[in-house]
Amino acid sequence: MAWGNQTTVTEFVLLGLSETWEVKVLLFVSLLLLYTATLFGNILILSAIISDHHLSNSPMLFLIGHLALLDLCLASFATPRYLFDFIAQRQTISFQGCMAQIFFLHLFGGSEMLLLTAMAYDRCMAICHPLRYASLMSRRHCIGLVLASWAGGLLHTSVQLGFTIDAPFCGPNRVGNFFCDLPFVIQLACIDTSPLEVMMVSISGTMSLVCFLALLLSYALILYTIRSRGPSEGPSKAAFTCTSHLIVVTMYFGPILFMYLHPYTRFMIDKVLSIFYNSITPFLNPTIYALKNKEMKAAVRRLLARGSGQVSAHGRPAIRQSDADTSGSWLEAS
């Protein structure tokens, strides 16, 4: 699908959620607070995992560390620029800068979708096959899952950008959001955008839907396995943990599915929903995935105490390495 290089647009105007000053100020304050909290939470988790080899040796926490890295990237590809541009009262972004935002959005977003699916697989193996968990989720397998997530995200964004950057942009240049995203940008192309819309649905929409269904299947298998073991405290903890994870996963995948599975039409709600996967989910992930784990919470407390010069005199609690304990620790709610 080639249209030739007919692009005359050199920059785009980012309109944000609204052109009303009050809404712009509200968005600025909200994104500033969310971004600050996201940076603090995810950097704290990454630092705790990197500084404690016991944590980095846990498959679950190894994957959570990479999720924190992706959340930092996803929250940082556009938000800091918007905050600085708001202060400088500037709304424009170069054509190359807009294409770069699309590239990094789909690189980090696609990689995170695949990594969340890998994390669901990890938890499913820990609960459903505890005796084989150590071999199923060895360090080599964990690294393979992480590399596959990044490779899948890179392939995903390369295909998306390849179609988009080749389209001619010769007229309208006002993007109806505070960052460049594929559904808003391709509407500005000076051609019939139907093929681009279909491409967007067939790639982004299908990938999101398949990952989301895989996540739901994994959690369903986990709950079925726990309940089949008979009544105990475990099922209630597992249900609580799965529910909290599913809420965050739905908040991430729901807006993406809504935006990328309905071509040809854009709604005002699309702008609001884009904040969920761009800012809110990266803010919530540290609390939901990491800080509900007892070893993780202990490591964070030690890190904060060390940073404040109040190193605890107590010894480090041993990290349980057995398969049964690994699956059990996942069920422990704070």
Side-chain angles (χ1 to χ4, degrees):
M1 187 184 302
W3 294 279
N5 187 9
Q6 305 171 24
T7 295
T8 59
V9 171
T10 59
E11 64 180 19
F12 292 97
V13 179
L14 302 177
L15 300 178
L17 297 187
S18 171
E19 297 191 51
T20 306
W21 174 251
E22 291 78 10
V23 176
K24 289 183 177 181
V25 172
L26 177 62
L27 178 63
F28 172 81
V29 174
S30 301
L31 288 179
L32 178 62
L33 294 175
L34 280 172
Y35 185 62
T36 303
T38 299
L39 284 182
F40 177 77
N42 286 289
I43 290 176
L44 188 64
I45 287 170
L46 267 176
S47 301
I49 293 175
I50 292 173
S51 63
D52 191 327
H53 72 277
H54 293 289
L55 294 182
S56 61
N57 285 335
S58 164
M60 176 178 63
L61 295 178
F62 176 80
L63 295 177
I64 286 176
H66 285 274
L67 177 66
L69 175 62
L70 276 171
D71 282 333
L72 283 173
C73 296
L74 191 58
S76 300
F77 85 94
T79 301
R81 180 192 173 92
Y82 169 78
L83 297 175
F84 284 117
D85 285 353
F86 179 86
I87 296 173
Q89 292 297 293
R90 184 176 61 240
Q91 290 182 291
T92 60
I93 183 173
S94 67
F95 179 84
Q96 292 80 6
C98 185
M99 294 300 110
Q101 283 194 347
I102 292 175
F103 175 83
F104 287 115
L105 169 62
H106 288 274
L107 170 63
F108 301 139
S111 298
E112 180 153 329
M113 283 191 289
L114 294 171
L115 185 62
L116 287 171
T117 307
M119 291 172 63
Y121 170 78
D122 166 72
R123 288 184 287 273
C124 188
M125 294 301 101
I127 300 301
C128 301
H129 304 285
L131 299 180
R132 299 175 54 204
Y133 178 71
S135 60
L136 290 172
M137 292 302 297
S138 64
R139 173 51 61 94
R140 181 170 59 87
H141 290 159
C142 289
I143 293 175
L145 289 173
V146 170
L147 292 178
S149 298
W150 280 99
L154 180 60
L155 177 62
H156 166 70
T157 194
S158 298
V159 174
Q160 298 273 55
L161 190 64
F163 282 106
T164 306
I165 204 169
D166 194 42
F169 294 90
C170 53
N173 68 336
R174 297 165 69 84
V175 179
N177 210 332
F178 68 93
F179 62 93
C180 289
D181 195 1
L182 200 59
F184 300 98
V185 172
I186 61 177
Q187 287 189 320
L188 305 177
C190 303
I191 53 168
D192 177 14
T193 60
S194 299
L196 289 174
E197 298 271 0
V198 172
M199 175 274 299
M200 181 183 71
V201 170
S202 62
I203 298 176
S204 291
T206 302
M207 178 180 176
S208 305
L209 183 60
V210 170
C211 288
F212 185 57
L213 292 177
L215 281 162
L216 293 180
L217 178 61
S218 296
Y219 285 117
L221 288 174
I222 289 171
L223 289 176
Y224 174 80
T225 302
I226 292 296
R227 290 185 178 277
S228 67
R229 294 175 181 171
S232 66
E233 188 182 6
S236 61
K237 287 186 176 182
F240 176 82
T241 305
C242 285
T243 300
S244 62
H245 288 188
L246 282 172
I247 290 174
V248 176
V249 164
T250 303
M251 289 178 64
Y252 179 71
F253 279 93
I256 295 175
L257 290 171
F258 180 82
M259 290 179 61
Y260 286 91
L261 285 179
H262 69 88
Y264 311 120
T265 307
R266 293 292 117 207
F267 303 106
M268 176 59 191
I269 191 64
D270 290 348
K271 301 181 182 182
V272 180
L273 291 177
S274 65
I275 298 178
F276 277 85
Y277 62 80
N278 175 259
S279 300
I280 295 179
T281 305
F283 161 71
L284 291 176
N285 278 344
T287 302
I288 298 299
Y289 283 101
L291 297 181
K292 296 175 71 65
N293 179 275
K294 287 187 175 182
E295 286 94 5
M296 190 72 232
K297 286 193 293 186
V300 167
R301 282 195 295 267
R302 289 195 301 273
L303 189 65
L304 292 175
R306 192 183 311 143
S308 61
Q310 302 171 355
V311 181
S312 173
H314 296 88
R316 174 185 290 133
I319 303 296
R320 294 165 296 183
Q321 296 295 324
S322 70
D323 299 326
D325 287 338
T326 302
S327 60
S329 104
W330 180 76
L331 297 174
E332 290 172 350
S334 55

